[in-house]
Amino acid sequence: VLRSLAQMISSTLTPPIMDRYAKNDIDGIVRFVGRAIRLIGLSIALPLGLLCGFSTSILNLWLGNDFVNLSSVIVLLSAHLCVNLAILPIFSLNIIAKKVKVPGMVTLIMGIMNVLLAVILGYPELGLGLNGIAMAGAIVLSLKNAIFTPIYGAHILKQRKLLFFPSMLAGIAGFLIIIVSIFIVLKFFKITNIFELLTAFVCISLGYMVLAWTLVLNKDDKIWILARIKSFGIDRKSVV
């Protein structure tokens, strides 16, 4: 669900990037894509952080105590997505610039590596079980999307290799803030029912959004977000 949500948001960003590319506005593309990575990272960090931080409580309340041991699998499958989903806007550059051959070859190679690594880490003698298979996917996907994709995106724009890496830090920082917050909450409170879990969700979410708005987002980000919200309201009124 989180993957689909991030991909849906990213797909709406392709036309603006395409428009700027057609005008050869490289600086505009850099600013737009950097902001998109930062905002998607911050947004996706919230549900990911809640899912990973409360994974034990969620499994216990949802499926029962017998499934609590799978909490580590949830973390391994989900934690890395705060980066690997945030960089989705960069994929638009590959298509717009007609630079899909190299990413396609890298994806094929990484897919083969994923299968091989999953077989190795899933080997019974290692005792990792499902954790090993989940770990293989996390490692390979992160090598491709968190390292290769932003570097190749910067190469397409003929910019410095580490251009998009600072924007990726926002999602990582947001995820870590939520995890630390949940750790503190669970240190003093024990989640025993759905109501308590939902209350924790709401409190941490509100605190995170206030913190992100006041300390993480810069003035330009806030203006851009408010403009999008305002234009959305106008569009809805015109439809009605």
Side-chain angles (χ1 to χ4, degrees):
V1 172
L2 293 174
R3 287 175 183 267
S4 298
L5 177 62
Q7 289 170 351
M8 181 181 66
I9 296 173
S10 179
S11 66
T12 64
L13 302 177
T14 301
I17 297 174
M18 186 179 297
D19 177 66
R20 288 166 173 75
Y21 190 83
K23 296 175 182 177
N24 198 31
D25 183 10
I26 303 300
D27 290 338
I29 293 175
V30 170
R31 290 193 300 272
F32 187 86
V33 173
R35 177 180 291 124
I37 293 172
R38 188 162 58 253
L39 294 181
I40 291 177
L42 284 172
S43 301
I44 210 72
L46 178 57
L48 284 173
L50 293 174
L51 176 63
C52 293
F54 286 116
S55 58
T56 300
S57 300
I58 292 172
L59 286 172
N60 185 39
L61 295 174
W62 180 28
L63 299 175
N65 190 58
D66 292 339
F67 291 87
V68 168
N69 63 312
L70 294 176
S71 60
S72 58
V73 179
I74 289 182
V75 174
L76 289 170
L77 286 173
S78 306
H80 61 90
L81 296 180
C82 64
V83 173
N84 290 323
L85 292 183
I87 55 85
L88 287 178
I90 300 179
F91 288 117
S92 300
L93 295 174
N94 300 336
I95 300 172
I96 295 169
K98 298 180 180 179
K99 301 288 186 180
V100 296
K101 182 178 180 180
V102 173
M105 293 175 62
V106 171
T107 300
L108 176 61
I109 294 171
M110 288 297 186
I112 296 172
M113 287 179 57
N114 192 1
V115 174
L116 296 176
L117 191 58
V119 171
I120 294 172
L121 295 180
Y123 194 67
E125 297 299 326
L126 293 179
L128 296 175
L130 290 176
N131 288 325
I133 298 174
M135 195 183 302
I139 292 172
V140 173
L141 192 62
S142 296
L143 286 174
K144 174 182 175 290
N145 287 346
I147 298 178
F148 166 77
T149 297
I151 291 177
Y152 191 73
H155 170 72
I156 291 175
L157 298 176
K158 298 180 180 179
Q159 303 291 312
R160 53 189 177 85
K161 294 180 179 179
L162 303 181
L163 173 67
F164 294 117
F165 281 88
S167 298
M168 296 161 56
L169 295 177
I172 298 174
F175 178 80
L176 292 177
I177 288 172
I178 294 172
I179 293 297
V180 172
S181 300
I182 293 174
F183 177 79
I184 295 174
V185 168
L186 294 178
K187 193 77 173 177
F188 297 97
F189 301 97
K190 185 177 180 180
I191 305 297
T192 58
N193 55 61
I194 293 293
F195 177 76
E196 293 176 350
L197 182 63
L198 293 178
T199 301
F201 276 12
V202 172
C203 293
I204 291 175
S205 297
L206 290 176
Y208 173 77
M209 287 187 285
V210 171
L211 185 65
W213 182 265
T214 55
L215 298 180
V216 180
L217 298 178
N218 57 41
K219 183 179 180 180
D220 292 336
D221 290 336
K222 295 176 183 178
I223 293 174
W224 187 87
I225 292 173
L226 293 175
R228 299 288 81 73
I229 295 174
K230 184 178 180 180
S231 64
F232 177 71
I234 294 174
D235 291 341
R236 289 193 64 186
K237 289 180 181 179
S238 64
V239 171
V240 175

